[in-house]
Amino acid sequence: SQTIHQWPATLVQPVGSPLSLECTVEGTSNPNLYWYRQAAGRGLQLLFYSVGIGQISSEVPQNLSASRPQDRQFILSSKKLLLSDSGFYLCAWSEEPRANYGYTFGSGTRLTVV
Amino acid sequence: GENVEQHPSTLSVQEGDSAVIKCTYSDSASNYFPWYKQELGKGPQLIIDIRSNVGEKKDQRIAVTLNKTAKHFSLHITETQPEDSAVYFCAARLINEKLTFGTGTRLTIIP
């Protein structure tokens, strides 16, 4: 069966420090991968998605970047964190769009920038 | 692109009563409609989904109905329990496109 792993679960980082959040998927190949951010009490904002290794699409301009160095690995990064980067970050995967199924989400990372 | 509206944003229901959350979508070509439940501090979990060739689907105390003509779908939770308290998201998807999520409904079950 497929599983998605996301870490760390919580992170407190000072303003101006770098960020690296990692997400890996097991039990499937060539998944579509997504990074979402959720502000407190708010909805799901799509940040990045990837349909293959090295293929990244950005949904909103921001202080963050994403990379997909391996088929089942998706990384969210920042060179210098801002206070506004605080939030709950979720990774998700899905089958290719032609299959038209839902997404499976990871357990999330709570990022607090201080 | 697709646009999904979700109502209400908050809902309080007495334990044992039913809860209904409604969503509308804009693109008549959408054909997949999942519902997610997000408990505090966790990622959203798929609880039920429906495709456009079906009008209703049930799974124990939860059900989803779809009205393609009106372009709306609803989540029904019967005999609500305290563990049903969570944020619920609806979503819609066209084939070959990404999921579009609603803005979420915070459901509180009052003991």
Side-chain angles (χ1 to χ4, degrees):
Chain A
S1 63
Q2 303 92 351
T3 56
I4 180 168
H5 301 280
Q6 192 179 340
W7 68 92
T10 60
L11 193 59
V12 179
Q13 292 284 96
V15 169
S17 64
L19 173 73
S20 181
L21 303 181
E22 189 163 344
C23 172
T24 59
V25 181
E26 296 178 356
T28 188
S29 59
N30 196 31
N32 282 15
L33 297 171
Y34 311 85
W35 278 113
Y36 282 83
R37 178 169 59 199
Q38 192 173 27
R42 305 295 294 274
L44 301 164
Q45 180 188 33
L46 180 62
L47 302 176
F48 301 95
Y49 72 96
S50 171
V51 300
I53 296 174
Q55 302 178 63
I56 308 296
S57 296
S58 175
E59 289 292 299
V60 293
Q62 58 208 308
N63 183 43
L64 303 169
S65 62
S67 62
R68 184 170 177 173
Q70 300 181 44
D71 181 46
R72 289 170 287 178
Q73 183 185 30
F74 204 22
I75 298 171
L76 183 69
S77 304
S78 173
K79 293 182 179 178
K80 290 185 177 182
L81 283 169
L82 306 172
L83 287 174
S84 57
D85 292 323
S86 293
F88 191 51
Y89 288 83
L90 290 156
C91 180
W93 79 272
S94 72
E95 302 284 355
E96 59 175 346
R98 286 183 300 171
N100 204 18
Y101 287 102
Y103 299 172
T104 300
F105 286 87
S107 53
T109 295
R110 172 77 57 194
L111 172 65
T112 304
V113 182
V114 297
Chain B
E2 176 63 277
N3 181 53
V4 176
E5 295 188 358
Q6 183 172 347
H7 299 282
S9 57
T10 60
L11 179 62
S12 294
V13 173
Q14 206 72 35
E15 182 179 352
D17 289 349
S18 296
V20 180
I21 303 170
K22 299 180 179 180
C23 290
T24 60
Y25 59 99
S26 61
D27 195 324
S28 57
S30 288
N31 59 4
Y32 177 67
F33 307 92
W35 284 89
Y36 289 84
K37 176 184 180 181
Q38 185 179 25
E39 297 178 344
L40 192 62
K42 299 183 179 180
Q45 298 292 308
L46 178 70
I47 56 172
I48 196 167
D49 57 10
I50 192 169
R51 295 194 179 274
S52 58
N53 59 345
V54 176
E56 183 176 5
K57 184 177 180 180
K58 290 183 179 180
D59 183 4
Q60 300 182 342
R61 294 187 298 108
I62 62 173
V64 56
T65 58
L66 172 66
N67 183 326
K68 289 190 295 182
T69 302
K71 290 189 286 188
H72 66 69
F73 56 112
S74 301
L75 177 71
H76 304 255
I77 306 174
T78 59
E79 301 174 7
T80 53
Q81 301 170 4
E83 53 264 37
D84 294 328
S85 293
V87 177
Y88 292 81
F89 291 97
C90 64
R93 189 175 191 181
L94 294 81
I95 195 166
N96 286 327
E97 298 292 333
K98 298 186 294 296
L99 268 179
T100 299
F101 287 91
T103 50
T105 296
R106 182 173 299 279
L107 174 63
T108 301
I109 306 302
I110 304 167

